[in-house]
Amino acid sequence: MASSLTKDSASTPGAEKTFFGHPRGLATLFLTEMWERFSYYGMRALLVYYLVSGGADAATGSQGGGLAMTAAMATAIYSVYVSMVYLMAMPGGWFGDRVWGARKTVAIAGFVIMGGHLALALPGQAMFFVGLVLVAAGSGLLKANISTMVGHLYDGPEDPRRDGGFTLFYIGINLGAFVAPFVIGTVGKEHNWHLGFALAAVGMGLGLLQFLLGTRHLSPKSNIVPNPLSAEERRTVLLRITGAVVVLAVFYGAVVALGMYTLNWALVPLTLAGLIIPVAVLVRIKRDKDLSATEQSKMNGYIWFFVAAAIFWMIYDQGGSTLSLFADSKTADTVFGLGFSATWYQSLNPLFVMALAPVFAWLWLWLARRNQEPNTIVKFAMGLVAVGASFFIFIVPMGMASDGKVSPMWLVSIYMIQTIGELCLSPVGLSVTTKMAPQKYASQMMGVWFLAVTAGDCTTGLLSLAGVDLNGIGIIAMEASLAVAAGVAVFMYRKKVQALMGNVH
């Protein structure tokens, strides 16, 4: 990236180098996040396939060597894992604000993530789950703090370069996510699972190295702990954590000793926690008597957006589980005579995001100049209808697959429609979260937004654990109907929701 660093002739004497006109520290954070997303999405592209893979197939040449789980169990584990990544963003932000500061937290997170991928690179079910826990915890720590550090590079919200900086940072995320399935996915699925996971560790290692070498270019604010714990608070936190660990160790030790332990003893509590915690957080904020009547009204309106987002992510995140399994078993693996790995489908979403995001940004501005831009509520409704429509379309190739493998273009179309839904819902969801947040919870509400992903994925996980076949046409049709119905409901009640939102548009 050295070639993209240029002299800023308009700056003070001694002109500092910039990154496409932005503070040089953005190059450090751009590359750190790009490599971290490379490792995360590469591993995620392998996850479900590794879980369901059993013995090697001599007829097809498949490598086997996975954990030989059922599709339902693989979907449950995948869903719980993704939900925990987003759930951990809240404690990750807390560590950055109160214990280590954003810079130190991101550095520690990098080592934790790399250790997780290395654990996945070792054979055996025990190391696999150790690796998942480490990657989820590290991703939560990093996700919550690296975006904050991007903001630190600019002179407050009014800095005209700020939005452009976050756009460049977002490109880094999608660039890493786009390349990963081609490299990690192909090596892992088609050649050796554990070599693929090891490549994810190498990716995170490169990101961590870039971060450590480039920290001198970051804002000094990223090294400050904004609200450090007092000595008494530290003791209280340590006692609570120690107590929780001891209780869990005793409980699960007893379960193992009695010979009762199965994976459900871990997955069901995590799934329920992923549903209960978001509800508990929203209830706690809603019941806070310090909130003004206006803030209470905005929170009532925000709950509509939260529920809508949870339904959206419930379907959208099945792109890495339900759609991945269909891609491997029911979709042709050649185009114009050229073969490819089923993991490559995971590159479609970041590709479409990079291609379509500028188009949507232009479209909203073009409509705004004509006073025709849809408001936030309508955009949410559009996102829900789009993701529901993608699953209605999915029913068609599912029916056709009984007679053989279907064209890859079916899945290409489904991922593109889901990405259109994402671009309608996700960016405005982040924006409306900051606008509707009560002043007292301004720094916590972004974590609340991530909890919508947790709730959606945990719903998928709970359905799988309950024995519901998420790969069946019936449940796909039900999910599609739910999303479209929710989109229609949000649109029909848009005036009521707008009234609750007050001056937020």
Side-chain angles (χ1 to χ4, degrees):
M1 278 294 174
S3 62
S4 64
L5 295 172
T6 57
K7 289 280 187 181
D8 183 0
S9 58
S11 62
T12 55
E16 293 184 356
K17 291 182 178 179
T18 65
F19 179 64
F20 294 111
H22 292 269
R24 190 173 179 182
L26 184 62
T28 296
L29 299 176
F30 175 98
L31 290 172
T32 302
E33 182 70 348
M34 184 189 76
W35 283 115
E36 187 274 330
R37 291 290 90 181
F38 173 85
S39 71
Y40 174 78
Y41 281 99
M43 182 276 280
R44 207 176 84 156
L46 293 178
L47 188 56
V48 168
Y49 296 135
Y50 176 66
L51 288 169
V52 300
S53 175
D57 188 334
T60 63
S62 65
Q63 60 165 311
L67 299 183
M69 294 183 179
T70 64
M73 181 59 74
T75 300
I77 291 172
Y78 170 87
S79 300
V80 171
Y81 163 70
V82 174
S83 71
M84 289 302 109
V85 168
Y86 287 92
L87 181 62
M88 291 301 295
M90 285 199 78
W94 182 86
F95 270 96
D97 286 342
R98 309 216 61 191
V99 183
W100 294 323
R103 188 184 302 187
K104 187 175 180 180
T105 304
V106 168
I108 291 171
F111 281 107
V112 172
I113 293 169
M114 187 167 62
H117 289 305
L118 289 173
L120 290 168
L122 299 174
Q125 190 174 111
M127 292 310 297
F128 172 80
F129 285 108
V130 168
L132 279 192
V133 169
L134 290 175
V135 174
S139 297
L141 287 169
L142 188 140
K143 179 181 286 291
N145 290 281
I146 195 164
S147 296
T148 300
M149 294 171 69
V150 174
H152 287 162
L153 296 172
Y154 300 95
D155 297 325
E158 304 306 317
D159 191 321
R161 301 171 300 169
R162 186 182 177 94
D163 286 351
F166 273 98
T167 299
L168 276 173
F169 183 70
Y170 195 60
I171 290 172
I173 292 173
N174 285 284
L175 192 59
F178 171 70
V179 174
F182 293 112
V183 181
I184 296 173
T186 303
V187 171
K189 186 175 185 300
E190 307 304 330
H191 299 286
N192 186 286
W193 300 114
H194 301 292
L195 181 57
F197 291 132
L199 282 176
V202 171
M204 187 64 252
L206 290 171
L208 183 59
L209 180 64
Q210 167 68 34
F211 182 77
L212 295 175
L213 291 175
T215 50
R216 65 186 184 277
H217 302 302
L218 301 176
S219 168
K221 286 188 287 187
S222 67
N223 228 5
I224 297 171
V225 182
N227 183 23
L229 291 172
S230 66
E232 184 178 347
E233 287 174 322
R234 281 182 177 271
R235 283 194 297 271
T236 301
V237 169
L238 284 173
L239 282 173
R240 288 178 178 175
I241 292 175
T242 303
V245 170
V246 169
V247 169
L248 288 172
V250 170
F251 176 77
Y252 280 100
V255 172
V256 172
L258 292 170
M260 298 167 57
Y261 182 80
T262 65
L263 269 179
N264 281 353
W265 279 94
L267 294 176
V268 171
L270 285 173
T271 305
L272 292 175
L275 292 171
I276 293 169
I277 290 173
V279 174
V281 169
L282 287 172
V283 169
R284 179 173 64 86
I285 295 174
K286 270 290 297 156
R287 296 181 66 180
D288 191 332
K289 291 182 171 53
D290 290 340
L291 301 190
S292 67
T294 300
E295 290 175 327
Q296 284 283 2
S297 176
K298 287 181 179 179
M299 282 305 301
N300 287 335
Y302 185 74
I303 289 171
W304 280 77
F305 294 110
F306 186 92
V307 173
I311 294 171
F312 177 88
W313 296 117
M314 177 185 71
I315 294 177
Y316 180 90
D317 276 344
Q318 288 183 59
S321 54
T322 306
L323 289 178
S324 286
L325 292 170
F326 185 85
D328 192 40
S329 61
K330 303 291 186 182
T331 307
D333 58 0
T334 58
V335 174
F336 303 121
L338 300 174
F340 61 93
S341 171
T343 60
W344 291 17
Y345 287 105
Q346 298 305 304
S347 290
L348 289 173
N349 171 250
L351 173 65
F352 288 139
V353 167
M354 289 187 289
L356 296 177
V359 175
F360 271 75
W362 171 84
L363 177 63
W364 299 142
L365 285 173
W366 184 79
L367 290 171
R369 285 195 292 268
R370 288 158 176 75
N371 292 320
Q372 294 177 335
E373 182 187 6
N375 65 20
T376 298
I377 306 166
V378 175
K379 288 177 183 176
F380 255 73
M382 291 165 62
L384 282 166
V385 171
V387 82
S390 76
F391 261 29
F392 275 127
I393 292 171
F394 186 29
I395 293 171
V396 179
M398 289 182 80
M400 295 168 59
S402 58
D403 298 324
K405 294 193 173 185
V406 301
S407 167
M409 294 310 297
W410 284 106
L411 287 183
V412 172
S413 301
I414 290 166
Y415 280 113
M416 184 177 70
I417 293 168
Q418 290 189 349
T419 303
I420 290 171
E422 178 192 4
L423 291 172
C424 288
L425 182 141
S426 187
V428 295
L430 290 167
S431 176
V432 81
T433 297
T434 59
K435 291 176 181 176
M436 296 178 70
Q439 186 62 37
K440 183 176 178 179
Y441 296 99
S443 61
Q444 296 180 41
M445 283 298 287
M446 199 56 70
V448 174
W449 169 251
F450 288 138
L451 288 181
V453 185
T454 298
D457 283 311
C458 281
T459 302
T460 304
L462 196 61
L463 289 171
S464 296
L465 291 171
V468 176
D469 180 13
L470 291 173
N471 301 291
I473 290 179
I475 188 65
I476 294 297
M478 285 181 62
E479 290 181 271
S481 300
L482 175 63
V484 171
V488 171
V490 168
F491 181 78
M492 295 292 291
Y493 286 89
R494 63 190 183 282
K495 291 183 179 178
K496 177 181 179 180
V497 177
Q498 185 61 65
L500 292 170
M501 293 169 66
N503 59 354
V504 177
H505 297 285

